[in-house]
Coordinates of all heavy atoms in Angstrom, one line a residue:
V10 N 5.0 23.9 -9.7 CA 5.6 25.1 -9.3 C 6.1 25.9 -10.6 O 6.8 25.3 -11.4 CB 6.8 24.9 -8.4 CG1 7.5 26.2 -8.1 CG2 6.4 24.2 -7.1
C11 N 5.7 27.1 -10.7 CA 6.2 28.0 -11.8 C 6.7 29.3 -11.1 O 7.1 29.2 -9.9 CB 5.1 28.3 -12.8 SG 3.7 29.3 -12.2
L12 N 6.8 30.4 -11.8 CA 7.4 31.6 -11.3 C 6.4 32.4 -10.5 O 6.6 32.7 -9.3 CB 8.0 32.4 -12.4 CG 8.6 33.8 -12.1 CD1 9.8 33.6 -11.1 CD2 9.0 34.5 -13.3
G13 N 5.2 32.7 -11.1 CA 4.3 33.6 -10.4 C 3.1 32.9 -9.8 O 2.4 33.5 -9.0
N14 N 2.8 31.6 -10.1 CA 1.7 30.9 -9.6 C 0.4 31.5 -10.0 O -0.6 31.4 -9.3 CB 1.7 30.7 -8.1 CG 0.7 29.7 -7.5 OD1 0.3 29.8 -6.4 ND2 0.4 28.7 -8.3
I15 N 0.4 32.2 -11.2 CA -0.9 32.7 -11.7 C -1.2 32.3 -13.1 O -2.3 32.5 -13.6 CB -1.0 34.2 -11.6 CG1 0.2 34.9 -12.3 CG2 -1.1 34.7 -10.1 CD1 0.0 36.4 -12.5
C16 N -0.3 31.7 -13.8 CA -0.5 31.2 -15.2 C -0.3 29.7 -15.4 O -1.3 29.0 -15.5 CB 0.4 32.0 -16.2 SG 0.1 33.8 -16.2
R17 N 0.9 29.3 -15.4 CA 1.2 27.9 -15.7 C 0.9 26.9 -14.6 O 0.2 25.9 -14.9 CB 2.7 27.7 -16.1 CG 3.0 28.4 -17.4 CD 4.5 28.5 -17.6 NE 5.1 29.4 -16.6 CZ 6.4 29.6 -16.4 NH1 7.3 28.9 -17.1 NH2 6.9 30.4 -15.5
S18 N 1.3 27.1 -13.4 CA 1.1 26.1 -12.4 C -0.3 25.9 -11.9 O -0.7 24.8 -11.7 CB 2.1 26.3 -11.2 OG 1.9 27.5 -10.5
P19 N -1.1 27.0 -11.9 CA -2.6 26.7 -11.6 C -3.2 25.9 -12.7 O -4.0 25.0 -12.4 CB -3.2 28.1 -11.6 CG -2.0 29.1 -11.4 CD -0.9 28.4 -12.0
A41 N 2.2 26.4 -6.6 CA 2.9 27.5 -5.9 C 3.9 28.2 -6.9 O 4.2 27.6 -8.0 CB 3.7 27.0 -4.7
G42 N 4.4 29.3 -6.5 CA 5.4 30.1 -7.3 C 6.7 30.2 -6.6 O 6.7 30.2 -5.4
T43 N 7.8 30.3 -7.4 CA 9.0 30.6 -6.7 C 9.1 32.0 -6.3 O 9.8 32.4 -5.3 CB 10.2 30.2 -7.6 OG1 10.1 31.0 -8.8 CG2 10.3 28.7 -7.9
W46 N 5.4 37.8 -5.9 CA 4.6 39.0 -6.4 C 3.1 38.8 -6.4 O 2.4 39.8 -6.3 CB 5.0 39.3 -7.9 CG 6.5 39.4 -8.1 CD1 7.3 40.5 -7.7 CD2 7.3 38.5 -8.7 NE1 8.6 40.2 -8.1 CE2 8.6 39.0 -8.7 CE3 7.1 37.2 -9.3 CZ2 9.7 38.3 -9.3 CZ3 8.1 36.5 -9.9 CH2 9.4 37.0 -9.8
H47 N 2.7 37.6 -6.6 CA 1.2 37.4 -6.8 C 0.6 36.6 -5.6 O -0.5 36.0 -5.8 CB 1.0 36.7 -8.1 CG 1.5 37.5 -9.2 ND1 0.8 38.7 -9.7 CD2 2.6 37.4 -10.0 CE1 1.5 39.2 -10.7 NE2 2.6 38.4 -10.9
D53 N -4.3 34.5 -13.3 CA -4.5 35.5 -14.4 C -5.8 35.2 -15.1 O -6.2 34.0 -15.3 CB -3.3 35.2 -15.4 CG -3.3 36.2 -16.5 OD1 -4.1 36.0 -17.5 OD2 -2.4 37.1 -16.5
R55 N -6.7 35.2 -18.1 CA -6.5 34.4 -19.3 C -6.4 32.9 -18.9 O -6.9 32.0 -19.6 CB -5.3 34.8 -20.2 CG -5.5 36.3 -20.7 CD -4.2 36.8 -21.2 NE -3.2 37.0 -20.0 CZ -1.9 37.3 -20.2 NH1 -1.5 37.6 -21.4 NH2 -1.2 37.4 -19.1
L89 N 7.9 23.7 -13.7 CA 7.4 24.0 -15.0 C 8.5 24.3 -16.0 O 8.4 24.1 -17.2 CB 6.3 25.1 -15.0 CG 4.8 24.7 -14.7 CD1 4.1 24.1 -15.9 CD2 4.7 23.7 -13.5
D90 N 9.6 25.0 -15.5 CA 10.7 25.3 -16.4 C 12.0 25.1 -15.7 O 12.0 24.8 -14.5 CB 10.6 26.7 -17.1 CG 10.7 27.8 -16.1 OD1 11.4 27.7 -15.1 OD2 10.2 28.9 -16.5
N93 N 12.7 27.5 -12.7 CA 12.0 27.0 -11.5 C 12.7 25.8 -10.9 O 12.8 25.7 -9.6 CB 10.6 26.6 -11.9 CG 9.8 27.6 -12.7 OD1 9.0 27.2 -13.5 ND2 10.0 28.9 -12.4
V124 N 7.8 24.3 -20.0 CA 6.5 24.9 -20.4 C 6.7 26.4 -20.5 O 7.1 27.0 -19.4 CB 5.4 24.6 -19.3 CG1 4.1 25.3 -19.7 CG2 5.2 23.1 -19.2
A125 N 6.6 27.0 -21.7 CA 7.0 28.4 -21.9 C 6.0 29.3 -21.1 O 4.8 29.0 -20.9 CB 6.9 28.7 -23.3
D126 N 6.5 30.4 -20.6 CA 5.7 31.3 -19.8 C 4.8 32.1 -20.8 O 5.3 32.9 -21.6 CB 6.7 32.3 -19.1 CG 5.9 33.1 -18.0 OD1 4.7 33.2 -18.1 OD2 6.6 33.7 -17.2
P127 N 3.5 32.0 -20.6 CA 2.6 32.7 -21.5 C 2.2 34.1 -21.0 O 1.5 34.8 -21.7 CB 1.3 31.8 -21.5 CG 1.3 31.3 -20.1 CD 2.7 31.2 -19.7
Y128 N 2.8 34.5 -19.9 CA 2.3 35.8 -19.2 C 2.5 37.0 -20.1 O 1.6 37.8 -20.2 CB 3.2 35.9 -18.0 CG 2.8 37.1 -17.1 CD1 1.5 37.2 -16.5 CD2 3.7 38.2 -16.9 CE1 1.2 38.3 -15.7 CE2 3.3 39.3 -16.1 CZ 2.1 39.3 -15.5 OH 1.8 40.4 -14.7
W129 N 3.6 37.1 -20.9 CA 3.9 38.3 -21.7 C 3.3 38.2 -23.1 O 3.4 39.2 -23.8 CB 5.4 38.6 -21.7 CG 6.0 38.7 -20.3 CD1 6.7 37.7 -19.7 CD2 5.8 39.7 -19.4 NE1 7.0 38.1 -18.4 CE2 6.5 39.4 -18.2 CE3 5.1 41.0 -19.4 CZ2 6.5 40.2 -17.1 CZ3 5.1 41.8 -18.3 CH2 5.8 41.4 -17.2
F135 N -1.8 30.6 -24.0 CA -2.4 29.8 -22.9 C -3.0 28.5 -23.4 O -3.1 27.5 -22.6 CB -3.5 30.6 -22.2 CG -2.9 31.7 -21.3 CD1 -2.4 32.9 -21.8 CD2 -2.9 31.5 -19.9 CE1 -1.8 33.8 -21.0 CE2 -2.3 32.4 -19.1 CZ -1.8 33.6 -19.6
T138 N 0.0 26.3 -23.4 CA 0.2 25.9 -22.0 C -0.7 24.7 -21.6 O -0.3 23.7 -21.0 CB 0.0 27.0 -21.0 OG1 0.9 28.1 -21.4 CG2 0.3 26.7 -19.6
Ligands
4NP201 P1 3.6 32.0 -14.3 O1 3.7 33.4 -15.2 O2 5.0 31.8 -13.7 O3 3.3 31.0 -15.3 O4 2.6 32.2 -13.2 C1 4.1 34.6 -14.6 C2 3.3 35.4 -14.0 C3 3.7 36.6 -13.5 C4 5.0 37.0 -13.6 C5 5.9 36.1 -14.3 C6 5.5 34.9 -14.8 N1 5.5 38.2 -13.1 O5 6.6 38.6 -13.3 O6 4.7 38.9 -12.5

Side-chain angles (χ1 to χ4, degrees):
V10 179
C11 65
L12 178 61
N14 192 209
I15 56 168
C16 296
R17 293 167 292 174
S18 59
T43 58
W46 310 283
H47 300 287
D53 185 285
R55 297 164 295 174
L89 277 277
D90 70 24
N93 307 147
V124 176
D126 191 345
Y128 184 67
W129 305 105
F135 285 76
T138 303

